[in-house]
Amino acid sequence: MFVRRIAVVGTGYVGLTTGACLASLGHDVVCADVDADKLARMAAGQVDILEPGLAELVAEGIAAGRLSFVLGAAGAVAHFDGGPEVLFLCVPTPMGVGGVADLSIVESVVEEVRELLPEGCVIVNKSTVPVGTAERTEELLGREDVAVVSNPEFLREGSAVYDFLNPDRIVVGGSKQDAAERVAALYARLGAPTVLTDAPSAELVKYAANCFLAMKLSYVNAVAELCDRLGANITDVTEGMGYDKRIGQAFLMPGPGWGGSCLPKDTSALLQLADAADFEFRLLRATIDTNTRQRQRMVEKVRVAVTGKRTGSLSHKRIALFGLTFKAGTDDLRDSPALAVAALLRQAGADLVGYDPSLSSAATHPDLSTLTVADDPYLAAKDAEAVVVLTEWPEFRSLDWQRLAETVARPIVVDTRNLLDPAVARRAGFEWIGLGKPLAEPAASS
Ligand SMILES: NC(=O)C1=CN([C@@H]2O[C@H](COP(=O)(O)OP(=O)(O)OC[C@H]3O[C@@H](n4cnc5c(N)ncnc54)[C@H](O)[C@@H]3O)[C@@H](O)[C@H]2O)C=CC1
Ligand SMILES: O=C(O)[C@H]1O[C@H](OP(=O)(O)OP(=O)(O)OC[C@H]2O[C@@H](n3ccc(=O)[nH]c3=O)[C@H](O)[C@@H]2O)[C@H](O)[C@@H](O)[C@@H]1O
């Protein structure tokens, strides 16, 4: 295997995982960021994000002399004698004005390194960017001797290292075949199917995949609503659907709507991309609208559970929220459906106390302003009129529900993830309300 000199710009979920994993595959890696404090922590082997195995890989990379950290993209280019052979862009591409992807950080990094990159270097874009970005980057760069390649990333937060090292596929696209092949070769040891294509196709794979996942979830959430109305059980329905290999069991769990740092911004960006191409992507619009409605629907469920009426008032009703991150296994609060539901409940006048296994009561985040965070689930549930499970942390299943029943003002649990064993909750005295679940327990099947 060839050992490459690799610069990674941006050390968040994608950049740090990419840097640490490429170092573990034997490459020489320097990671750059603009956050000097974070860089100092990483250089000392400290990782700020909750990602299993990441801190260990970072420490191993540093100890082996294959992973280091510098300030700024220009610093990363200067780090190696002869400069980097490959430079990865792993910087944010947040939702910009009107829902389009904001490419200003990508462009500023390209601007920063354009005159510094050595001849033959390949810029690899791992940030999620609209179709046409590689071409625009080539123009901005204005260098025939530096190639631009799109190499979208598909890792999930909470299993970033595992996903990076065990990818379902590697996608690499660019106008220069040899540069694309050099990038694909970096992953050769992973043995994943590799799609070598042009840059627009590679860029579109990323959006098309994320939007398909979002569509799958909106569909499931809509079917769960139908189950509620028709008396069918969503767990059995999705199990029955999922055995069909064309559908699969994964990504069929109903919930309070999909969120996180990517699906919301990427669905919005693809919609804008379609719009700009004069294509009315109604299916994607419906996917997003269904998700917005899903959050509102969770509030309606709580309202009916607490007041017995669709029009009842939640004013000053104390509600305990279990789970605040956008899914279990991460401490990421970005675009969390739990916090979106919290904001709607607060708007309806409810008093909210939240608990999340990954957060302490000292946690500060603008989206936490609608609630008080407790350090302990029993404290959060004290005197609550309802407990609402919003994130599927497995530990919620093993709480002492008997003790919780004695702590709350009213034993009602609205389980928006269908996480709990209803029989356990009911035995403890709770009224358990799930999503797409018949009210009465069906007879056990043999
Ligand atoms: N979070 C995820 O699970 C995935 C994210 N992506 C995409 O990857 C990109 C990065 O996402 P995350 O890693 O989540 O972002 P992040 O917000 O976790 O990390 C981005 C990092 O870039 C740094 N940065 C900002 N401006 C910089 C600059 N000018 N020079 C150097 N560093 C700079 C920030 O300080 C931060 O450390 C986005 O386009 C995202 O859509 C793709 C797949 C998965
Ligand atoms: O581009 C990205 O950033 C990444 O976005 C998602 O990964 P992630 O944001 O980590 O989260 P997911 O695990 O996909 O979950 C997204 C949302 O869907 C919800 N979800 C997921 C699965 C499910 O069955 N039900 C469900 O409601 C989660 O709770 C969460 O709110 C994709 O799964 C990754 O492949 C992609 O690389």
Side-chain angles (χ1 to χ4, degrees):
M1 192 200 66
F2 294 107
V3 174
R4 298 292 186 193
R5 300 186 305 273
I6 297 174
V8 177
V9 182
T11 60
Y13 287 88
V14 170
L16 187 58
T17 304
T18 299
C21 289
L22 288 175
S24 81
L25 293 175
H27 301 293
D28 288 331
V29 182
V30 62
C31 288
D33 206 286
V34 284
D35 184 338
D37 294 339
K38 181 173 164 179
L39 285 166
R41 286 193 296 277
M42 289 185 295
Q46 253 175 277
V47 170
D48 292 345
I49 51 178
L50 184 64
E51 280 302 340
L54 187 54
E56 290 81 350
L57 272 194
V58 168
E60 275 169 39
I62 295 171
R66 283 199 297 269
L67 182 64
S68 40
F69 297 91
V70 292
L71 189 64
V77 176
H79 174 81
F80 295 109
D81 283 342
E85 294 168 80
V86 179
L87 180 132
F88 278 91
L89 299 177
C90 302
V91 291
T93 48
M95 198 190 294
V97 181
V100 299
D102 177 349
L103 295 179
S104 55
I105 301 179
V106 169
E107 287 169 359
S108 74
V109 173
V110 173
E111 192 63 52
E112 185 178 343
V113 299
R114 62 185 282 266
E115 287 178 1
L116 309 174
L117 292 174
E119 191 184 327
C121 185
V122 183
I123 293 187
V124 184
N125 196 0
K126 231 182 208 321
S127 295
T128 302
V129 292
V131 176
T133 303
E135 200 185 327
R136 266 183 68 189
T137 306
E138 278 167 358
E139 282 162 20
L140 190 63
L141 201 59
R143 299 230 350 221
E144 266 304 307
D145 60 333
V146 174
V148 179
V149 163
S150 165
N151 170 219
E153 178 53 55
F154 303 97
L155 64 78
R156 293 160 300 172
E157 291 184 19
S159 54
V161 169
Y162 177 86
D163 289 349
F164 190 96
L165 294 174
N166 301 275
D168 289 339
R169 77 302 209 183
I170 298 291
V171 176
V172 183
S175 56
K176 292 180 177 145
Q177 179 81 6
D178 60 325
E181 280 170 5
R182 266 166 71 197
V183 173
L186 297 175
Y187 302 98
R189 274 183 58 192
L190 302 179
T194 300
V195 180
L196 271 180
T197 181
D198 53 83
S201 304
E203 289 164 341
L204 191 53
V205 168
K206 176 62 195 177
Y207 281 115
N210 268 7
C211 294
F212 187 85
L213 292 172
M215 184 183 69
K216 198 172 180 188
L217 292 177
S218 279
Y219 182 79
V220 157
N221 285 332
V223 174
E225 180 164 359
L226 212 49
C227 287
D228 271 335
R229 289 167 188 248
L230 302 179
N233 185 330
I234 187 69
T235 308
D236 297 344
V237 171
T238 50
E239 187 188 355
M241 286 164 62
Y243 283 121
D244 186 326
K245 291 185 189 64
R246 295 168 301 173
I247 296 174
Q249 297 288 356
F251 241 71
L252 286 180
M253 294 291 293
W258 38 270
S261 70
C262 289
L263 297 194
K265 81 169 170 60
D266 293 349
T267 43
S268 168
L270 186 59
L271 197 62
Q272 296 312 315
L273 207 56
D275 205 40
D278 217 10
F279 171 56
E280 198 182 347
F281 203 156
R282 288 199 193 164
L283 189 56
L284 187 52
R285 162 61 62 206
T287 297
I288 297 169
D289 290 347
T290 302
N291 199 44
T292 307
R293 184 162 171 279
Q294 185 70 0
R295 294 158 183 212
Q296 190 63 55
R297 216 166 79 72
M298 299 305 101
V299 176
E300 284 164 19
K301 267 192 178 276
V302 175
R303 192 190 296 279
V304 170
V306 171
T307 71
K309 289 183 280 197
R310 292 179 66 87
T311 52
S313 169
L314 287 173
S315 182
H316 298 301
K317 301 284 187 197
R318 191 178 161 100
I319 310 284
L321 307 178
F322 280 13
L324 302 171
T325 53
F326 81 94
K327 64 174 182 179
T330 178
D331 53 1
D332 197 344
L333 293 169
R334 290 180 288 180
D335 229 321
S336 166
L339 294 180
V341 171
L344 291 171
L345 284 169
R346 183 74 199 115
Q347 259 173 38
D351 295 328
L352 308 174
V353 185
Y355 167 75
D356 190 286
S358 75
L359 297 176
S360 84
S361 55
T364 52
H365 188 277
D367 294 343
L368 288 174
S369 61
T370 54
L371 57 128
T372 306
V373 179
D375 280 316
D376 163 312
Y378 303 98
L379 271 181
K382 195 170 173 334
D383 300 329
E385 302 266 342
V387 173
V388 185
V389 176
L390 288 164
T391 309
E392 74 285 21
W393 287 100
E395 41 266 73
F396 294 155
R397 289 175 71 97
S398 44
L399 291 174
D400 182 345
W401 284 88
Q402 202 85 47
R403 184 177 158 200
L404 283 167
E406 288 156 18
T407 309
V408 294
R410 288 176 65 199
I412 296 172
V413 56
V414 179
D415 183 356
T416 72
R417 297 279 186 171
N418 291 342
L419 173 74
L420 307 176
D421 180 343
V424 171
R426 287 181 182 133
R427 260 201 310 279
F430 272 91
E431 181 187 347
W432 179 86
I433 298 156
L435 249 62
K437 291 288 187 169
L439 289 180
E441 279 288 85
S445 55
S446 52

mmCIF file of all heavy atoms in Angstrom, residues 61-106:
data_model
loop_
_atom_site.group_PDB
_atom_site.id
_atom_site.type_symbol
_atom_site.label_atom_id
_atom_site.label_comp_id
_atom_site.label_asym_id
_atom_site.label_seq_id
_atom_site.Cartn_x
_atom_site.Cartn_y
_atom_site.Cartn_z
ATOM 1 N N GLY A 61 -2.904 7.163 16.818
ATOM 2 C CA GLY A 61 -2.316 7.893 15.683
ATOM 3 C C GLY A 61 -1.223 8.841 16.134
ATOM 4 O O GLY A 61 -0.146 8.925 15.519
ATOM 5 N N ILE A 62 -1.492 9.546 17.253
ATOM 6 C CA ILE A 62 -0.493 10.487 17.777
ATOM 7 C C ILE A 62 0.743 9.711 18.232
ATOM 8 O O ILE A 62 1.883 10.059 17.877
ATOM 9 C CB ILE A 62 -1.082 11.313 18.954
ATOM 10 C CG1 ILE A 62 -2.226 12.210 18.457
ATOM 11 C CG2 ILE A 62 -0.005 12.147 19.630
ATOM 12 C CD1 ILE A 62 -3.025 12.897 19.559
ATOM 13 N N ALA A 63 0.500 8.629 18.973
ATOM 14 C CA ALA A 63 1.625 7.842 19.511
ATOM 15 C C ALA A 63 2.474 7.253 18.382
ATOM 16 O O ALA A 63 3.707 7.165 18.497
ATOM 17 C CB ALA A 63 1.090 6.736 20.421
ATOM 18 N N ALA A 64 1.819 6.874 17.289
ATOM 19 C CA ALA A 64 2.556 6.272 16.163
ATOM 20 C C ALA A 64 3.238 7.331 15.299
ATOM 21 O O ALA A 64 3.930 6.992 14.325
ATOM 22 C CB ALA A 64 1.596 5.437 15.311
ATOM 23 N N GLY A 65 2.994 8.601 15.614
ATOM 24 C CA GLY A 65 3.594 9.695 14.831
ATOM 25 C C GLY A 65 2.932 9.866 13.469
ATOM 26 O O GLY A 65 3.495 10.487 12.572
ATOM 27 N N ARG A 66 1.712 9.299 13.317
ATOM 28 C CA ARG A 66 1.036 9.401 12.019
ATOM 29 C C ARG A 66 -0.095 10.419 12.005
ATOM 30 O O ARG A 66 -0.728 10.633 10.976
ATOM 31 C CB ARG A 66 0.468 8.024 11.616
ATOM 32 C CG ARG A 66 1.518 7.056 11.100
ATOM 33 C CD ARG A 66 0.869 5.939 10.302
ATOM 34 N NE ARG A 66 -0.002 5.150 11.142
ATOM 35 C CZ ARG A 66 0.384 4.064 11.818
ATOM 36 N NH1 ARG A 66 1.627 3.651 11.735
ATOM 37 N NH2 ARG A 66 -0.474 3.403 12.562
ATOM 38 N N LEU A 67 -0.361 11.034 13.174
ATOM 39 C CA LEU A 67 -1.491 11.970 13.252
ATOM 40 C C LEU A 67 -1.070 13.198 14.048
ATOM 41 O O LEU A 67 -0.601 13.082 15.182
ATOM 42 C CB LEU A 67 -2.679 11.272 13.946
ATOM 43 C CG LEU A 67 -3.974 12.056 14.091
ATOM 44 C CD1 LEU A 67 -4.571 12.382 12.723
ATOM 45 C CD2 LEU A 67 -4.997 11.264 14.910
ATOM 46 N N SER A 68 -1.243 14.367 13.445
ATOM 47 C CA SER A 68 -0.949 15.591 14.189
ATOM 48 C C SER A 68 -1.984 16.654 13.867
ATOM 49 O O SER A 68 -2.820 16.477 12.962
ATOM 50 C CB SER A 68 0.472 16.078 13.912
ATOM 51 O OG SER A 68 0.770 15.919 12.562
ATOM 52 N N PHE A 69 -1.915 17.750 14.604
ATOM 53 C CA PHE A 69 -2.947 18.787 14.509
ATOM 54 C C PHE A 69 -2.296 20.151 14.325
ATOM 55 O O PHE A 69 -1.297 20.452 15.000
ATOM 56 C CB PHE A 69 -3.799 18.776 15.786
ATOM 57 C CG PHE A 69 -4.546 17.484 15.963
ATOM 58 C CD1 PHE A 69 -3.977 16.432 16.671
ATOM 59 C CD2 PHE A 69 -5.784 17.299 15.377
ATOM 60 C CE1 PHE A 69 -4.641 15.215 16.806
ATOM 61 C CE2 PHE A 69 -6.457 16.087 15.501
ATOM 62 C CZ PHE A 69 -5.888 15.045 16.221
ATOM 63 N N VAL A 70 -2.858 20.958 13.434
ATOM 64 C CA VAL A 70 -2.320 22.310 13.231
ATOM 65 C C VAL A 70 -3.476 23.299 13.063
ATOM 66 O O VAL A 70 -4.599 22.913 12.727
ATOM 67 C CB VAL A 70 -1.437 22.433 11.966
ATOM 68 C CG1 VAL A 70 -0.140 21.666 12.098
ATOM 69 C CG2 VAL A 70 -2.185 22.035 10.722
ATOM 70 N N LEU A 71 -3.141 24.553 13.246
ATOM 71 C CA LEU A 71 -4.134 25.612 13.102
ATOM 72 C C LEU A 71 -4.237 26.043 11.632
ATOM 73 O O LEU A 71 -3.221 26.406 11.017
ATOM 74 C CB LEU A 71 -3.729 26.811 13.974
ATOM 75 C CG LEU A 71 -4.753 27.932 14.105
ATOM 76 C CD1 LEU A 71 -6.020 27.448 14.809
ATOM 77 C CD2 LEU A 71 -4.154 29.104 14.879
ATOM 78 N N GLY A 72 -5.441 25.978 11.091
ATOM 79 C CA GLY A 72 -5.696 26.536 9.761
ATOM 80 C C GLY A 72 -5.269 25.649 8.605
ATOM 81 O O GLY A 72 -4.310 24.864 8.708
ATOM 82 N N ALA A 73 -6.007 25.783 7.482
ATOM 83 C CA ALA A 73 -5.733 24.966 6.298
ATOM 84 C C ALA A 73 -4.330 25.240 5.755
ATOM 85 O O ALA A 73 -3.615 24.316 5.337
ATOM 86 C CB ALA A 73 -6.778 25.268 5.227
ATOM 87 N N ALA A 74 -3.917 26.515 5.791
ATOM 88 C CA ALA A 74 -2.584 26.848 5.281
ATOM 89 C C ALA A 74 -1.506 26.150 6.112
ATOM 90 O O ALA A 74 -0.504 25.663 5.584
ATOM 91 C CB ALA A 74 -2.377 28.366 5.305
ATOM 92 N N GLY A 75 -1.760 26.063 7.421
ATOM 93 C CA GLY A 75 -0.836 25.360 8.320
ATOM 94 C C GLY A 75 -0.719 23.894 7.944
ATOM 95 O O GLY A 75 0.365 23.298 8.024
ATOM 96 N N ALA A 76 -1.845 23.306 7.532
ATOM 97 C CA ALA A 76 -1.844 21.881 7.159
ATOM 98 C C ALA A 76 -1.006 21.668 5.901
ATOM 99 O O ALA A 76 -0.284 20.683 5.781
ATOM 100 C CB ALA A 76 -3.267 21.391 6.942
ATOM 101 N N VAL A 77 -1.112 22.615 4.961
ATOM 102 C CA VAL A 77 -0.343 22.479 3.713
ATOM 103 C C VAL A 77 1.157 22.607 4.008
ATOM 104 O O VAL A 77 1.984 21.866 3.456
ATOM 105 C CB VAL A 77 -0.799 23.538 2.676
ATOM 106 C CG1 VAL A 77 0.055 23.454 1.419
ATOM 107 C CG2 VAL A 77 -2.275 23.346 2.339
ATOM 108 N N ALA A 78 1.466 23.519 4.932
ATOM 109 C CA ALA A 78 2.878 23.750 5.254
ATOM 110 C C ALA A 78 3.476 22.630 6.105
ATOM 111 O O ALA A 78 4.695 22.516 6.236
ATOM 112 C CB ALA A 78 3.019 25.086 5.993
ATOM 113 N N HIS A 79 2.615 21.800 6.672
ATOM 114 C CA HIS A 79 3.073 20.790 7.640
ATOM 115 C C HIS A 79 4.047 19.775 7.042
ATOM 116 O O HIS A 79 5.013 19.380 7.690
ATOM 117 C CB HIS A 79 1.835 20.067 8.198
ATOM 118 C CG HIS A 79 2.154 18.924 9.095
ATOM 119 N ND1 HIS A 79 2.480 19.091 10.425
ATOM 120 C CD2 HIS A 79 2.228 17.585 8.849
ATOM 121 C CE1 HIS A 79 2.725 17.914 10.962
ATOM 122 N NE2 HIS A 79 2.579 16.976 10.038
ATOM 123 N N PHE A 80 3.772 19.336 5.803
ATOM 124 C CA PHE A 80 4.626 18.296 5.214
ATOM 125 C C PHE A 80 5.703 18.928 4.320
ATOM 126 O O PHE A 80 5.400 19.864 3.571
ATOM 127 C CB PHE A 80 3.793 17.375 4.304
ATOM 128 C CG PHE A 80 2.745 16.575 5.020
ATOM 129 C CD1 PHE A 80 1.392 16.868 4.863
ATOM 130 C CD2 PHE A 80 3.096 15.498 5.828
ATOM 131 C CE1 PHE A 80 0.418 16.111 5.497
ATOM 132 C CE2 PHE A 80 2.124 14.734 6.462
ATOM 133 C CZ PHE A 80 0.795 15.039 6.305
ATOM 134 N N ASP A 81 6.904 18.348 4.361
ATOM 135 C CA ASP A 81 7.898 18.734 3.352
ATOM 136 C C ASP A 81 7.325 18.320 2.009
ATOM 137 O O ASP A 81 6.899 17.165 1.858
ATOM 138 C CB ASP A 81 9.211 17.950 3.559
ATOM 139 C CG ASP A 81 10.006 18.527 4.723
ATOM 140 O OD1 ASP A 81 9.726 19.678 5.105
ATOM 141 O OD2 ASP A 81 10.865 17.789 5.258
ATOM 142 N N GLY A 82 7.249 19.208 1.078
ATOM 143 C CA GLY A 82 6.682 18.882 -0.238
ATOM 144 C C GLY A 82 5.172 19.001 -0.276
ATOM 145 O O GLY A 82 4.557 18.753 -1.305
ATOM 146 N N GLY A 83 4.571 19.379 0.858
ATOM 147 C CA GLY A 83 3.113 19.586 0.896
ATOM 148 C C GLY A 83 2.335 18.280 0.889
ATOM 149 O O GLY A 83 2.908 17.199 0.700
ATOM 150 N N PRO A 84 1.010 18.371 1.078
ATOM 151 C CA PRO A 84 0.195 17.147 1.081
ATOM 152 C C PRO A 84 -0.032 16.629 -0.336
ATOM 153 O O PRO A 84 -0.033 17.401 -1.288
ATOM 154 C CB PRO A 84 -1.130 17.624 1.689
ATOM 155 C CG PRO A 84 -1.194 19.077 1.378
ATOM 156 C CD PRO A 84 0.224 19.580 1.307
ATOM 157 N N GLU A 85 -0.218 15.307 -0.447
ATOM 158 C CA GLU A 85 -0.592 14.735 -1.749
ATOM 159 C C GLU A 85 -2.104 14.844 -1.945
ATOM 160 O O GLU A 85 -2.587 14.918 -3.068
ATOM 161 C CB GLU A 85 -0.177 13.268 -1.813
ATOM 162 C CG GLU A 85 1.326 13.078 -1.791
ATOM 163 C CD GLU A 85 1.657 11.616 -1.554
ATOM 164 O OE1 GLU A 85 1.604 10.833 -2.509
ATOM 165 O OE2 GLU A 85 1.973 11.259 -0.407
ATOM 166 N N VAL A 86 -2.797 14.785 -0.823
ATOM 167 C CA VAL A 86 -4.262 14.823 -0.852
ATOM 168 C C VAL A 86 -4.727 15.768 0.245
ATOM 169 O O VAL A 86 -4.207 15.714 1.361
ATOM 170 C CB VAL A 86 -4.838 13.409 -0.581
ATOM 171 C CG1 VAL A 86 -6.359 13.439 -0.591
ATOM 172 C CG2 VAL A 86 -4.325 12.394 -1.596
ATOM 173 N N LEU A 87 -5.701 16.612 -0.059
ATOM 174 C CA LEU A 87 -6.243 17.508 0.963
ATOM 175 C C LEU A 87 -7.760 17.314 1.037
ATOM 176 O O LEU A 87 -8.465 17.537 0.045
ATOM 177 C CB LEU A 87 -5.909 18.967 0.641
ATOM 178 C CG LEU A 87 -6.431 19.997 1.645
ATOM 179 C CD1 LEU A 87 -5.324 20.989 2.037
ATOM 180 C CD2 LEU A 87 -7.637 20.759 1.104
ATOM 181 N N PHE A 88 -8.238 16.837 2.179
ATOM 182 C CA PHE A 88 -9.675 16.594 2.361
ATOM 183 C C PHE A 88 -10.360 17.840 2.920
ATOM 184 O O PHE A 88 -9.882 18.431 3.893
ATOM 185 C CB PHE A 88 -9.891 15.469 3.379
ATOM 186 C CG PHE A 88 -9.766 14.092 2.811
ATOM 187 C CD1 PHE A 88 -8.547 13.432 2.812
ATOM 188 C CD2 PHE A 88 -10.879 13.445 2.292
ATOM 189 C CE1 PHE A 88 -8.432 12.151 2.296
ATOM 190 C CE2 PHE A 88 -10.772 12.164 1.773
ATOM 191 C CZ PHE A 88 -9.548 11.509 1.772
ATOM 192 N N LEU A 89 -11.501 18.181 2.344
ATOM 193 C CA LEU A 89 -12.334 19.250 2.901
ATOM 194 C C LEU A 89 -13.448 18.586 3.717
ATOM 195 O O LEU A 89 -14.279 17.855 3.160
ATOM 196 C CB LEU A 89 -12.970 20.076 1.787
ATOM 197 C CG LEU A 89 -12.013 20.808 0.845
ATOM 198 C CD1 LEU A 89 -12.803 21.526 -0.256
ATOM 199 C CD2 LEU A 89 -11.162 21.811 1.622
ATOM 200 N N CYS A 90 -13.449 18.837 5.016
ATOM 201 C CA CYS A 90 -14.472 18.251 5.906
ATOM 202 C C CYS A 90 -15.080 19.361 6.751
ATOM 203 O O CYS A 90 -15.275 19.221 7.961
ATOM 204 C CB CYS A 90 -13.859 17.193 6.805
ATOM 205 S SG CYS A 90 -13.049 15.843 5.922
ATOM 206 N N VAL A 91 -15.340 20.480 6.117
ATOM 207 C CA VAL A 91 -15.833 21.656 6.836
ATOM 208 C C VAL A 91 -17.359 21.738 6.718
ATOM 209 O O VAL A 91 -17.959 21.093 5.854
ATOM 210 C CB VAL A 91 -15.171 22.950 6.301
ATOM 211 C CG1 VAL A 91 -13.704 22.997 6.673
ATOM 212 C CG2 VAL A 91 -15.358 23.077 4.790
ATOM 213 N N PRO A 92 -17.995 22.530 7.586
ATOM 214 C CA PRO A 92 -19.464 22.595 7.571
ATOM 215 C C PRO A 92 -20.008 23.202 6.276
ATOM 216 O O PRO A 92 -19.389 24.091 5.676
ATOM 217 C CB PRO A 92 -19.792 23.524 8.747
ATOM 218 C CG PRO A 92 -18.570 23.549 9.609
ATOM 219 C CD PRO A 92 -17.413 23.325 8.686
ATOM 220 N N THR A 93 -21.184 22.691 5.877
ATOM 221 C CA THR A 93 -21.932 23.262 4.754
ATOM 222 C C THR A 93 -23.369 23.448 5.253
ATOM 223 O O THR A 93 -24.274 22.718 4.847
ATOM 224 C CB THR A 93 -21.904 22.326 3.531
ATOM 225 O OG1 THR A 93 -22.231 20.988 3.954
ATOM 226 C CG2 THR A 93 -20.548 22.310 2.864
ATOM 227 N N PRO A 94 -23.559 24.390 6.168
ATOM 228 C CA PRO A 94 -24.860 24.521 6.843
ATOM 229 C C PRO A 94 -25.962 25.008 5.907
ATOM 230 O O PRO A 94 -25.691 25.400 4.767
ATOM 231 C CB PRO A 94 -24.583 25.573 7.929
ATOM 232 C CG PRO A 94 -23.416 26.345 7.427
ATOM 233 C CD PRO A 94 -22.602 25.409 6.583
ATOM 234 N N MET A 95 -27.185 24.981 6.430
ATOM 235 C CA MET A 95 -28.306 25.478 5.642
ATOM 236 C C MET A 95 -28.186 26.998 5.553
ATOM 237 O O MET A 95 -28.087 27.678 6.576
ATOM 238 C CB MET A 95 -29.633 25.090 6.312
ATOM 239 C CG MET A 95 -30.806 25.176 5.377
ATOM 240 S SD MET A 95 -32.403 25.011 6.184
ATOM 241 C CE MET A 95 -32.391 23.342 6.768
ATOM 242 N N GLY A 96 -28.163 27.498 4.336
ATOM 243 C CA GLY A 96 -28.038 28.940 4.157
ATOM 244 C C GLY A 96 -29.394 29.574 3.866
ATOM 245 O O GLY A 96 -30.441 28.931 4.005
ATOM 246 N N VAL A 97 -29.350 30.820 3.452
ATOM 247 C CA VAL A 97 -30.569 31.585 3.186
ATOM 248 C C VAL A 97 -31.434 30.849 2.151
ATOM 249 O O VAL A 97 -30.928 30.406 1.123
ATOM 250 C CB VAL A 97 -30.206 33.001 2.661
ATOM 251 C CG1 VAL A 97 -31.461 33.828 2.389
ATOM 252 C CG2 VAL A 97 -29.280 33.703 3.633
ATOM 253 N N GLY A 98 -32.719 30.686 2.453
ATOM 254 C CA GLY A 98 -33.645 30.058 1.512
ATOM 255 C C GLY A 98 -33.492 28.544 1.438
ATOM 256 O O GLY A 98 -34.065 27.903 0.563
ATOM 257 N N GLY A 99 -32.693 27.963 2.339
ATOM 258 C CA GLY A 99 -32.571 26.503 2.380
ATOM 259 C C GLY A 99 -31.459 25.928 1.534
ATOM 260 O O GLY A 99 -31.234 24.723 1.529
ATOM 261 N N VAL A 100 -30.733 26.788 0.812
ATOM 262 C CA VAL A 100 -29.619 26.267 -0.009
ATOM 263 C C VAL A 100 -28.427 25.953 0.896
ATOM 264 O O VAL A 100 -28.351 26.431 2.025
ATOM 265 C CB VAL A 100 -29.169 27.282 -1.101
ATOM 266 C CG1 VAL A 100 -30.285 27.590 -2.067
ATOM 267 C CG2 VAL A 100 -28.641 28.564 -0.453
ATOM 268 N N ALA A 101 -27.499 25.132 0.382
ATOM 269 C CA ALA A 101 -26.289 24.839 1.154
ATOM 270 C C ALA A 101 -25.364 26.059 1.118
ATOM 271 O O ALA A 101 -25.110 26.618 0.048
ATOM 272 C CB ALA A 101 -25.590 23.620 0.566
ATOM 273 N N ASP A 102 -24.880 26.444 2.276
ATOM 274 C CA ASP A 102 -23.972 27.586 2.374
ATOM 275 C C ASP A 102 -22.535 27.071 2.169
ATOM 276 O O ASP A 102 -22.009 26.309 2.991
ATOM 277 C CB ASP A 102 -24.134 28.219 3.759
ATOM 278 C CG ASP A 102 -23.183 29.382 3.994
ATOM 279 O OD1 ASP A 102 -22.255 29.576 3.177
ATOM 280 O OD2 ASP A 102 -23.351 30.090 5.010
ATOM 281 N N LEU A 103 -21.939 27.487 1.063
ATOM 282 C CA LEU A 103 -20.613 26.968 0.696
ATOM 283 C C LEU A 103 -19.484 27.914 1.071
ATOM 284 O O LEU A 103 -18.337 27.731 0.637
ATOM 285 C CB LEU A 103 -20.570 26.711 -0.816
ATOM 286 C CG LEU A 103 -21.519 25.613 -1.309
ATOM 287 C CD1 LEU A 103 -21.419 25.461 -2.814
ATOM 288 C CD2 LEU A 103 -21.210 24.295 -0.621
ATOM 289 N N SER A 104 -19.805 28.927 1.898
ATOM 290 C CA SER A 104 -18.796 29.960 2.124
ATOM 291 C C SER A 104 -17.540 29.406 2.808
ATOM 292 O O SER A 104 -16.423 29.857 2.503
ATOM 293 C CB SER A 104 -19.386 31.130 2.913
ATOM 294 O OG SER A 104 -19.941 30.661 4.104
ATOM 295 N N ILE A 105 -17.703 28.426 3.698
ATOM 296 C CA ILE A 105 -16.501 27.906 4.386
ATOM 297 C C ILE A 105 -15.653 27.084 3.409
ATOM 298 O O ILE A 105 -14.423 27.222 3.365
ATOM 299 C CB ILE A 105 -16.880 27.088 5.638
ATOM 300 C CG1 ILE A 105 -17.678 27.955 6.611
ATOM 301 C CG2 ILE A 105 -15.626 26.547 6.331
ATOM 302 C CD1 ILE A 105 -18.131 27.267 7.877
ATOM 303 N N VAL A 106 -16.323 26.252 2.603
ATOM 304 C CA VAL A 106 -15.596 25.463 1.591
ATOM 305 C C VAL A 106 -14.794 26.418 0.709
ATOM 306 O O VAL A 106 -13.586 26.226 0.471
ATOM 307 C CB VAL A 106 -16.583 24.641 0.729
ATOM 308 C CG1 VAL A 106 -15.888 24.039 -0.470
ATOM 309 C CG2 VAL A 106 -17.246 23.546 1.559
#
